[in-house]
């Protein structure tokens, strides 16, 4: 298994799939455009970001720095995946 995959429920899942599934659970909406701005479209709130940070830190075993918790990193699924990939390099 490489760093872009994780095991969840016995199945291999990419970071993108894991994040997409979590956001689908928060928003009850499937996001097919991973560059879609989740805040501008009203899908995520600041409270959702706190939940998302907890999920990321627990699932991918790294701490998100306060400087990284910005609109660029958390505004899109692509941004979130990039943040996770940077944060897990070297693990």
């Amino acid at each position: 298994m490489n760093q872009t995959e994780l095991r969840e429920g016995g199945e291999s899942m990419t970071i993108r799939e894991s994040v997409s599934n979590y956001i689908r659970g928060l928003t009850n909406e499937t996001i097919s455009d991973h560059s879609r701005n989740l805040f501008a479209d009203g899908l995520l709130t600041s409270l959702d970001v706190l939940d998302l940070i907890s999920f990321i830190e627990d699932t991918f075993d790294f701490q998100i720095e306060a400087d990284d918790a910005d609109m660029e990193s958390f505004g899109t699924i692509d941004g979130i995946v990039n943040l996770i990939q940077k944060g897990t390099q070297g693990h």
Side-chain angles (χ1 to χ4, degrees), residues 9-91:
E11 294 182 24
S12 181
M13 182 179 292
T14 67
I15 292 171
R16 187 171 309 280
E17 290 168 333
S18 181
V19 169
S20 294
N21 287 344
Y22 189 80
I23 290 174
R24 182 177 36 243
L26 286 175
T27 65
N28 293 317
E29 185 168 332
T30 300
I31 312 297
S32 57
D33 176 3
H34 294 167
S35 64
R36 179 179 180 185
N37 189 309
L38 304 171
F39 291 105
D41 291 349
L43 295 172
L44 288 182
T45 67
S46 55
L47 293 178
D48 292 331
V49 171
L50 296 176
D51 288 338
L52 188 55
I53 288 171
S54 249
F55 163 76
I56 292 167
E57 290 181 340
D58 291 346
T59 303
F60 299 99
D61 193 31
F62 78 98
Q63 291 294 115
I64 295 174
E65 301 296 324
D67 292 345
D68 292 329
D70 59 19
M71 183 66 79
E72 184 178 333
S73 297
F74 282 93
T76 66
I77 290 175
D78 287 340
I80 296 166
V81 170
N82 288 337
L83 175 70
I84 293 168
Q85 288 174 332
K86 285 193 296 188
T88 57
Q89 286 177 350
H91 275 211

